[in-house]
Amino acid sequence: MRSPFLCSLVALMLTYAQGALAQSAAPKQVWIQLETRLHLEDSMDSIETYARDLSNVNGFEIDGGWFGVAIGPYDPEQADADLQKLRAEGIIPRTSFTTTGATYGARFYPPALAAQPGTANPTVQNTAPQTVPPPAPAEETAPEPPISAAKPLAQAKASEQAMTEAEKKYLQQALAWAGFYDSAIDGLYGRGTRAAMKGWQSVNGYDATGVLTTAQRAEIIADYRFLLAGLGFEEVVDAQAGIALRLPSTLLAPASYGPPFATYAAKDIGLAQVILISQRGDRARLAALYEVMQTLSILPETGPRKLAKSSFTIEAYDDLIHSTGFATLRDGDIKGLIFVWPRGDSARRARVEEEIFTSFTRLSGTLGEAPILGSDLKPQESLGGLRIRQPNFTQSGVFISQEGHILTAAQDYSGCGRLELQDGLALSVTIQTSDLAVLAPKQGAAPPSIGRFETQRPYAPQHVALGGYSYGGKLGAPSITMGKLQALTDLTGRTGVARLELDSLPGDIGGPIYDQHGSVIGILLPPPPPGSRQLPANVQFMANWPLISEILIAADAPANTETETVELEPVDLANLAQNTVALVSCWP
């Protein structure tokens, strides 16, 4: 789902770019760009290194405050051959590419050719005269015969075959940005890529051969960078987080802070956002942060992720968003970022991600203490201002078999994309009646212990204990709530359902009701639906053995009916609940 604002912006820029490019001739000269640096000092260091082997090294200011290192200029048809040769010899980086220099501003190197401050990109003589020979003196020559149309096509095919996979992917991204390509960025020039090339050639007044010349590729990439510049990339120095990077200011609002995050949310109603990670810590804290972040709503559950000793990487996606991120531990500082982009816009996402990630720079300082570690409790509603993903509902149950089957109260499971145990194990509904349900793990998992059922008719009144995850797992363990069994029927006289006097919470529904010996005598049912008659808050109901036995027989799940005669203290009941009570979560 693309942001309406982004789509409008790109459409407007495409109209302008295509109109401008249609009126321009093919470039007379191109450059081979080697590197882009954030600081002038770094670019000069790179220039000094390249100048040992190359005589035509140049330095240009680039739109947005960057500094580019390039060699040239070259004749467009010669540039690709030199690019491949220099890369093969390991003299220039594999990521080097040809460009028309449309984004180049003032030249700062070589000093003899440097433009005065504020001047535009000058046209200069080649510092490598052997690459573009000077014109010969004019003389009378006989007119040359017409060149066959097959020769330029053969040259284009030859230069295309010399392209690397990375270059082909980059060109596919450029075609996607221009609106001509909507298939996978895979570096394979199949039918879709050829059609995109033909479409671009046709719109821009070239023969629609489906094979781009070096000059045409340079023109597309220049257009690509022009569109990217429209996102308003600018350097952001976040002194609080201790991070500097380039961000698309057109799309993102100023930062809001909630340790360990500095969040640059989308303007208006867009989905794009960048979250900086900044926290003092060690390996244990890095691991804890990684675990807690898995529950954030900006990180869907689908996608690869990896935790290493001093770093982690995350890629996560669903139908709405695609998020990528990383964090590294260095000198006691954990720093990184999460980049969120609308799903279905992979070409733009990849280019914007590259711009952000490659500009990421660590500075001194971190955000304040984040609420992770220090206790067994983890934040349940939000972390650093980011919402933690929540289930539709949680309920309790009791383990009834060594295979992990669970007896619980019946619920409406139709809205559950998945059912899970507290350890993430997937569950399925084996059988369900109007009151009770039996759930089974999709992969067997032996529980610590299983519940023991009292099959005799209980007496009333008597003291009982409810075992349940009252707070939906926030405490990390089930709790015990003491109460009374007041009657062996409900208020209408129905048998099989008994009335309790007990204070419970929604997470307790489905939990076992223990007698004083620790035997299960019932399962807590949901409260009656609201009506004209309001019951006291502590009036609850449980399904007792007649209803329990019926569903166990239907599910072919034999019950453990061994009973004890020793009365248990509350602490013993709590230990019993911890081993026999299950937490069930219903996720969208």
Side-chain angles (χ1 to χ4, degrees):
M1 176 180 179
R2 299 184 179 179
S3 164
F5 174 79
L6 178 59
C7 293
S8 300
L9 170 66
V10 172
L12 177 63
M13 292 168 62
L14 281 171
T15 303
Y16 173 85
Q18 291 172 358
L21 290 172
Q23 298 175 25
S24 64
K28 296 180 180 179
Q29 64 180 26
V30 297
W31 306 82
I32 297 177
Q33 184 162 317
L34 311 182
E35 291 185 7
T36 304
R37 293 286 185 168
L38 183 60
H39 301 292
L40 177 60
E41 295 81 1
D42 295 336
S43 65
M44 290 301 297
D45 290 341
S46 296
I47 287 172
E48 182 179 350
T49 300
Y50 290 121
R52 297 169 187 169
D53 301 311
L54 302 168
S55 61
N56 57 344
V57 182
N58 296 265
F60 294 100
E61 296 180 8
I62 297 180
D63 293 347
W66 287 72
F67 299 91
V69 180
I71 54 176
Y74 291 90
D75 178 271
E77 297 301 331
Q78 179 65 27
D80 195 67
D82 280 27
L83 174 67
Q84 303 302 330
K85 179 176 181 294
L86 292 171
R87 283 199 304 200
E89 294 173 351
I91 298 175
I92 64 175
R94 299 289 300 175
T95 54
S96 303
F97 59 91
T98 57
T99 173
T100 60
T103 59
Y104 291 172
R107 186 197 307 263
F108 61 86
Y109 186 89
L113 297 175
Q116 297 299 318
T119 59
N121 178 28
T123 301
V124 299
Q125 295 297 321
N126 190 354
T127 57
Q130 70 279 12
T131 304
V132 184
E139 61 181 31
E140 294 293 333
T141 57
E144 296 183 1
I147 298 175
S148 168
K151 186 174 182 180
L153 180 59
Q155 291 175 338
K157 288 182 177 179
S159 67
E160 180 180 273
Q161 289 174 356
M163 295 174 67
T164 66
E165 180 182 354
E167 289 174 318
K168 291 180 178 180
K169 288 182 178 180
Y170 193 84
L171 186 61
Q172 286 176 326
Q173 290 175 354
L175 287 167
W177 272 76
F180 293 96
Y181 183 68
D182 60 1
S183 299
I185 306 298
D186 54 13
L188 302 176
Y189 283 5
R191 185 178 303 174
T193 305
R194 294 298 178 196
M197 292 178 180
K198 285 184 178 181
W200 182 89
Q201 288 172 324
S202 178
V203 167
N204 288 275
Y206 298 107
D207 292 337
T209 63
V211 182
L212 299 173
T213 66
T214 302
Q216 290 170 358
R217 292 199 297 269
E219 187 175 340
I220 291 173
I221 290 172
D223 183 23
Y224 182 16
R225 290 184 170 272
F226 167 78
L227 289 172
L228 189 65
L231 295 176
F233 271 96
E234 61 182 33
E235 183 181 1
V236 174
V237 178
D238 193 316
Q240 293 188 54
I243 294 171
L245 73 172
R246 285 170 56 80
L247 295 177
S249 60
T250 303
L251 304 179
L252 302 179
S256 60
Y257 296 92
F261 302 126
T263 301
Y264 292 81
K267 290 181 178 178
D268 303 322
I269 57 173
L271 295 176
Q273 57 180 316
V274 174
I275 299 97
L276 305 184
I277 303 169
S278 177
Q279 174 73 76
R280 289 289 295 172
D282 52 17
R283 289 181 178 178
R285 187 171 290 270
L286 176 75
L289 177 61
Y290 172 81
E291 292 297 333
V292 173
M293 288 182 64
Q294 306 307 310
T295 67
L296 296 179
S297 59
I298 60 167
L299 296 176
E301 295 185 350
T302 303
R305 53 208 77 194
K306 180 180 180 180
L307 173 65
K309 288 183 178 179
S310 58
S311 66
F312 65 72
T313 57
I314 293 175
E315 182 175 7
Y317 44 82
D318 58 16
D319 293 338
L320 293 179
I321 60 173
H322 190 144
S323 302
T324 52
F326 69 92
T328 57
L329 170 63
R330 186 187 305 166
D331 299 327
D333 291 345
I334 300 170
K335 292 188 179 182
L337 66 84
I338 300 294
F339 169 55
V340 184
W341 194 257
R343 188 74 189 275
D345 193 17
S346 59
R348 292 173 178 83
R349 180 193 61 79
R351 187 65 185 95
V352 175
E353 176 189 276
E354 178 188 12
E355 197 78 17
I356 294 173
F357 279 44
T358 56
S359 66
F360 182 90
T361 305
R362 300 169 72 104
L363 306 176
S364 61
T366 59
L367 297 176
E369 186 72 10
I372 60 172
L373 287 185
S375 72
D376 291 334
L377 302 183
K378 294 181 179 179
Q380 293 296 312
E381 302 301 328
S382 66
L383 175 65
L386 299 179
R387 186 173 63 86
I388 289 180
R389 190 168 51 250
Q390 300 291 329
N392 289 348
F393 64 82
T394 62
Q395 67 180 109
S396 301
V398 60
F399 289 110
I400 58 174
S401 75
Q402 293 297 337
E403 291 74 32
H405 289 76
I406 298 164
L407 176 64
T408 185
Q411 296 268 34
D412 181 5
Y413 299 113
S414 61
C416 302
R418 70 186 189 285
L419 284 172
E420 282 187 358
L421 275 173
Q422 58 264 41
D423 57 3
L425 191 65
L427 298 170
S428 61
V429 180
T430 299
I431 190 169
Q432 182 172 352
T433 67
S434 58
D435 298 296
L436 299 172
V438 173
L439 311 179
K442 294 185 178 180
Q443 295 180 347
S449 184
I450 61 175
R452 296 179 286 104
F453 288 89
E454 173 59 65
T455 61
Q456 301 299 316
R457 182 182 176 91
Y459 64 90
Q462 66 167 299
H463 291 285
V464 295
L466 163 66
Y469 283 87
S470 307
Y471 299 95
K474 292 181 180 180
L475 298 179
S479 56
I480 286 291
T481 304
M482 307 305 295
K484 278 188 177 182
L485 173 62
Q486 292 285 31
L488 299 181
T489 63
D490 66 7
L491 294 174
T492 65
R494 177 190 177 193
T495 59
V497 176
R499 176 165 56 89
L500 303 167
E501 181 182 310
L502 183 145
D503 292 316
S504 67
L505 294 172
D508 290 316
I509 292 173
I513 305 296
Y514 300 105
D515 64 13
Q516 297 180 34
H517 308 293
S519 296
V520 179
I521 62 173
I523 298 295
L524 183 68
L525 296 176
S532 57
R533 183 176 293 105
Q534 297 296 322
L535 299 178
N538 65 350
V539 174
Q540 307 292 339
F541 300 92
M542 74 173 193
N544 56 26
W545 180 248
L547 290 183
I548 293 173
S549 61
E550 288 179 7
I551 194 169
L552 293 182
I553 292 172
D556 193 21
N560 178 6
T561 57
E562 297 179 2
T563 57
E564 298 287 345
T565 58
V566 178
E567 292 189 4
L568 300 181
E569 298 293 331
V571 65
D572 298 319
L573 287 171
N575 291 333
L576 177 65
Q578 187 159 353
N579 291 326
T580 58
V581 178
L583 172 64
V584 177
S585 299
C586 166
W587 294 94

